[in-house]
Amino acid sequence: MQRFRQQTSFPRPAIRRSIALLLAAMLSACGGGSGGSGASPAPSEAPVAPPPVKVLPPVLAGVPSLLQTPGGMAVDRAGNTFVLDAGRQVVLKFTPDGAVSTLAGSDMVFGSQDGVGTGASFRFNYESRMLIDAAGNLVVTDTCNNTIRRITPAGAVSTVAGQTGYSCGVRDNPLQPDRQPVRRTFHRPGGIALDTNGDYLVLSGARELQRVTPTGKVTSVEWARSGGPIRPSSLVVAKGGAIYAADSVRVYRVGNNGVLQLIAGQPVSGMADGQGEAAGFNLIGAMAMSESGDVLIADGGRLRKMTPAGMVTTVIGGDGTGIVRDGDAASARFGTLVALAFDPAGQLIGVDGVARTLRRISASGEVTTFAATPSAGGTVDGTGAAARFGSLSHVASDSKGNLYVADRQRYVIRRVAPSGQTSVFAGVPGVKNNALTGVFRADAFASPDNVVIDGKEVMYVSDIGRIVKIKDGAMTTLVDFSGNTRLGAVYGMAVDLDGNLAVAYINAALIYAPSGKLIRTIDVNNFSPEMTANRAGYVLTPRALAFDRAGNLYMAEPYSHVVFKVAKDGPLSVFAGTLGVAGDQDGAPGTASLGFYSQVQMTFVPNGDMYMTGHGKLRKVSPDGSVSTPALAWGYPHLLSITSSNGLLKGMTRYAVMQTPLPQ
C-alpha cells in the first residue's frame, strides 16, 4: 500500500507579503517607481538584501492525526474504504493503493446542505454510521441533523428522509434560526444496516427501529422486550434476513413487531467468553456478518465472535489498556473498535476510535494499520514532531509564551516551550493520587484537567475533588470540594488580573478569592425573567469561562446556545449568540448562532477580541458581541482548546499543538 504523505503548505498571504517586501526594497533601491526624474541617481552604497521572512510553522509540537473523530465506515466492491469523521465533518475515501481524498463535506463546516463534494455539509457525531446500498451509494445517518443522507460515488449528497433540525446538544430540542421548534421523523439516528430487500434499517431514539426505503418512505416499530427499556446502538443483517441488534453489553435477535430475543450478554459489563447469558461484553461498538454466518463484534479493545446459537469467543485483543499495536492474533491490540466492515478479499477492516486509525485484520488474524492513518497519539516528551500527546484538556499560556496542558494518562501538567520542546512541569509521571486507597502525594495529581495561569504566573489546576494552586513550584490545595456532591465535576476555569478564580461546576459558576474564599455564586437566580422563561425551568450549565481585562466574566452555556456576560459585581446578560437558537450564523447578538458541537474554550487577546472553540471553525467575538469566522494562517484545524500570548494563538487538535499569528 502506498504511504499517504501529508504536505504542509505555507499561507498564501505570508508569501504575498514576502514578495511585496522584496519588490518594495527593489523599487527603493532603484529610486522609486514611475514619476521620478530622468536624471541619473546619485551614487549610493550597494543595496542590502532584506532579511528572510520567517514563516511560522502551524504545528508547534506533536503530529496532527488525519482522522480526528472517526465513526462510521463502509467498503465498496472495488475495495475503497470510506470513513466519516465527526470531528472534521467530512467523508474520506481511501483507495486500495493508499490514496486519500475527501468525498463529501468541508473541514469544520457544520450544516445540512445538499450538494456535491465540499458543497455539502453534515452534523455527524460519535453515533453516526454508514452503509453501501445495492446501487453502490453510501447511506449515512446524519445524527445531529435527524436525517438520512445518500452520497453517490461522485460525491453528490442528497437527503433521503427526515426533517433537518439540530438535536445533539444539552437542549434536546433547540429552536431553528426562525425560532420555530424542530420537527423530526428521526431522533438522533445512529446505527444503520442494509436489509435483504434493499431497505435501510435505522436505530433511532431510545426505543425505535425505523425502516427507510430507497425512495424515502419511513415506517417505525417500537422495541418490545420484557425486563424494561433498551437502546440498541449497533445493527447488522445476516444473509438469510436475520436481524441482530446490540446495546453496549447484550446482543439480541430482532423478531416480528420489534420483539427482541436475547442471544448473548448480561445486563452489566464484564469480559467473559461463553454461551448465551454466560458471555459478557464490555463495550459493544459495532457488528459485521461473516460469510459463515457468525457475527463479528467490536467490543472495546477486543474483536469477538458470536455464532448464531450465541456462543461467544474472543478472536483478537486482551489485557493492556492503552496499548495499541499490530501483530498476530495473540499479540495485536486495539484501542477501541467503533466500526467494522469486510472488504472484497474477505479481510475485516476496523476503525480504531482511540488510536484514530484504520486497522486491517486478515483471515488468519494478522492485524496491520493503514499506512495513511498512522497512530499519532501518545504521551512522549520531546521537541516538535518527536513529542506525542494523548488526552486533551483546556490549555493555558504564560507571559513567556509557554503552553501548558494536562496529561491525564501520566497524571501530569506538561509544558510546551515556544521552541516546541515538551517537558513535565508539575506532577509525578505515572503516580496517581487515589482517595479510595488512601494514596496521596502533595506533588501528585489524581486526574488533572483544566489549567489557568494568572498575571503573576501562578497556576491553578482542577483535579478530582479539589483545585490545586502551583506557585514557585509548590503545589497546595486552594479549594477542596470533594464532599460537595452538588458541585460535581469542573467544566472550565478562568482567573482575572486580581487573582480571583472562577470555576464552572455542573450547575453553577463560583468565584473564589486568591485565598480560596468563596466570594460569588452565579446560577439560575442571576437570570432575568426573559431568560428564565426561555429555559423552561432548566438549570444553568456553564461549560467554559473567561475574564476580560476589566474583570467581567464570560460564560459559554450550551443549553441557551449563547455566551453570557457577567459584569463585575453586576448582572448577567447575553453577550453573543441568540437564546435557544443553535447554528453557525455570524452576526450581532440576537442574530448570530452558536452550535456547541465540541469542547468549548475561550481566550481574550489584547485588542479585546475573544476567540472560541467548540462551534465548528474557530469563532471570533468582538467587544460588542458580534460573531465572525476569521480566516487565519493555520487554516481550519479541528481545535478543542485555545489560548493566546505574545501575539500568537495556540490551540490543540488531536494530536498536536498548533499556532498562528494574531491578525494585525
Side-chain angles (χ1 to χ4, degrees):
M1 178 175 291
Q2 182 180 344
R3 183 172 296 275
F4 173 71
R5 298 187 178 184
Q6 193 168 15
Q7 193 172 20
T8 302
S9 60
F10 295 111
R12 293 178 181 268
I15 296 174
R16 287 196 292 267
R17 285 195 297 272
S18 302
I19 295 172
L21 287 171
L22 186 58
L23 286 174
M26 292 173 62
L27 288 170
S28 176
C30 297
S34 61
S37 67
S40 300
S44 62
E45 296 181 5
V48 178
V53 176
K54 183 178 180 180
V55 179
L56 188 73
V59 178
L60 177 62
V63 178
S65 176
L66 173 67
L67 297 176
Q68 288 287 305
T69 311
M73 181 264 298
V75 185
D76 69 12
R77 296 188 185 94
N80 298 303
T81 302
F82 301 89
V83 181
L84 66 83
D85 192 324
R88 296 174 55 190
Q89 294 299 310
V90 295
V91 175
L92 298 175
K93 176 181 178 180
F94 298 79
T95 65
D97 63 1
V100 184
S101 60
T102 298
L103 177 69
S106 185
D107 269 306
M108 303 309 298
V109 175
F110 289 73
S112 55
Q113 184 66 43
D114 288 341
V116 179
T118 57
S121 57
F122 307 93
R123 285 194 176 99
F124 296 135
N125 79 343
Y126 68 93
E127 301 165 283
S128 302
R129 294 295 181 263
M130 66 166 61
L131 58 79
I132 291 182
D133 68 12
N137 300 304
L138 286 173
V139 180
V140 300
T141 51
D142 194 350
T143 305
C144 298
N145 275 325
N146 292 317
T147 55
I148 308 301
R149 315 281 294 280
R150 180 183 292 122
I151 309 173
T152 70
V157 180
S158 58
T159 299
V160 178
Q163 292 82 37
T164 299
Y166 178 65
S167 65
C168 284
V170 173
R171 184 175 186 147
D172 190 51
N173 192 26
L175 302 177
Q176 300 277 47
D178 60 5
R179 303 197 64 80
Q180 295 301 308
V182 174
R183 297 178 302 149
R184 56 194 180 197
T185 300
F186 304 99
H187 181 205
R188 294 180 64 161
I192 187 170
L194 186 67
D195 202 359
T196 52
N197 67 351
D199 289 348
Y200 319 137
L201 301 178
V202 179
L203 296 174
S204 174
R207 294 180 59 85
E208 276 191 307
L209 173 65
Q210 294 180 280
R211 178 179 294 275
V212 184
T213 69
T215 59
K217 181 182 178 181
V218 181
T219 55
S220 304
V221 60
E222 286 196 359
W223 301 115
R225 171 184 172 269
S226 60
I230 180 178
R231 178 166 182 166
S233 55
S234 302
L235 196 65
V236 71
V237 178
K239 284 187 175 180
I243 302 171
Y244 295 91
D247 58 18
S248 61
V249 292
R250 292 164 293 191
V251 181
Y252 301 86
R253 185 177 288 115
V254 182
N256 294 330
N257 300 318
V259 175
L260 295 174
Q261 176 191 357
L262 179 64
I263 303 299
Q266 306 169 15
V268 296
S269 64
M271 174 60 200
D273 288 344
Q275 176 71 43
E277 294 184 58
F281 298 97
N282 281 329
L283 183 64
I284 298 175
M287 298 186 292
M289 292 299 307
S290 70
E291 285 289 331
S292 64
D294 294 329
V295 182
L296 277 299
I297 301 171
D299 183 18
R302 293 176 171 87
L303 179 66
R304 317 286 296 281
K305 181 177 73 173
M306 185 189 77
T307 68
M311 173 59 72
V312 178
T313 54
T314 299
V315 180
I316 301 173
D319 295 331
T321 302
I323 298 174
V324 176
R325 64 173 176 245
D326 291 342
D328 59 22
S331 62
R333 293 293 182 269
F334 304 106
T336 297
L337 292 170
V338 298
L340 297 172
F342 281 97
D343 70 11
Q347 299 182 106
L348 187 64
I349 309 299
V351 174
D352 193 326
V354 168
R356 287 166 174 79
T357 57
L358 292 176
R359 316 289 293 277
R360 179 178 286 105
I361 305 157
S362 71
S364 65
E366 187 76 21
V367 179
T368 55
T369 299
F370 276 38
T373 63
S375 180
T379 57
V380 180
D381 291 329
T383 300
R388 290 292 183 271
F389 300 92
S391 59
L392 302 182
S393 70
H394 292 90
V395 296
S397 54
D398 63 19
S399 62
K400 300 179 182 65
N402 297 303
L403 177 140
Y404 298 85
V405 60
D407 186 335
R408 292 189 291 272
Q409 293 172 275
R410 286 201 292 168
Y411 320 113
V412 297
I413 303 299
R414 299 170 70 186
R415 175 171 56 196
V416 183
S419 64
Q421 182 180 15
T422 304
S423 58
V424 173
F425 173 76
V428 183
V431 175
K432 178 181 180 179
N433 287 337
N434 190 323
L436 296 178
T437 61
V439 174
F440 182 83
R441 284 181 53 164
D443 58 350
F445 296 101
S447 182
D449 192 1
N450 299 273
V451 183
V452 294
I453 299 173
D454 69 15
K456 297 179 180 179
E457 308 293 331
V458 178
M459 178 181 290
Y460 303 86
V461 181
S462 66
D463 198 10
I464 295 179
R466 65 178 184 144
I467 306 296
V468 177
K469 180 178 180 179
I470 306 175
K471 182 178 181 181
D472 299 327
M475 294 172 54
T476 57
T477 297
L478 179 71
V479 178
D480 184 343
F481 59 92
S482 57
N484 193 334
T485 57
R486 182 181 67 87
L487 296 179
V490 173
Y491 290 90
M493 299 197 305
V495 62
D496 68 11
L497 295 178
D498 296 325
N500 298 308
L501 180 70
V503 182
Y505 295 104
I506 188 169
N507 294 140
L510 275 56
I511 301 179
Y512 302 94
S515 64
K517 178 183 178 181
L518 178 64
I519 57 177
R520 187 174 183 185
T521 298
I522 302 163
D523 56 20
V524 289
N525 295 318
N526 295 90
F527 286 128
S528 67
E530 177 194 2
M531 295 176 189
T532 301
N534 177 267
R535 303 184 73 79
Y538 204 91
V539 294
L540 182 69
T541 57
R543 291 299 177 265
L545 302 172
F547 279 108
D548 65 15
R549 296 187 66 82
N552 300 304
L553 179 65
Y554 298 79
M555 179 192 310
E557 212 268 341
Y559 183 85
S560 296
H561 282 270
V562 299
V563 175
F564 289 115
K565 178 179 179 179
V566 185
K568 191 174 184 179
D569 301 322
L572 180 149
S573 60
V574 174
F575 173 63
T578 303
L579 281 171
V581 176
D584 307 274
Q585 182 67 42
D586 289 341
T591 301
S593 55
L594 301 174
F596 287 87
Y597 304 121
S598 59
Q599 177 175 289
V600 179
Q601 186 170 12
M602 304 178 290
T603 187
F604 277 95
V605 299
N607 71 350
D609 289 339
M610 172 201 289
Y611 288 85
M612 179 168 47
T613 66
H615 311 287
K617 295 179 179 179
L618 186 70
R619 310 292 287 278
K620 183 179 80 172
V621 187
S622 301
D624 65 356
S626 296
V627 179
S628 60
T629 305
L632 301 172
W634 59 12
Y636 298 106
H638 177 223
L639 294 172
L640 294 169
S641 56
I642 192 74
T643 186
S644 61
S645 69
N646 297 352
L648 298 177
L649 285 172
K650 294 181 181 179
M652 289 208 68
T653 185
R654 294 184 175 95
Y655 290 106
V657 177
M658 311 289 289
Q659 63 180 359
T660 193
L662 281 167
Q664 299 298 316

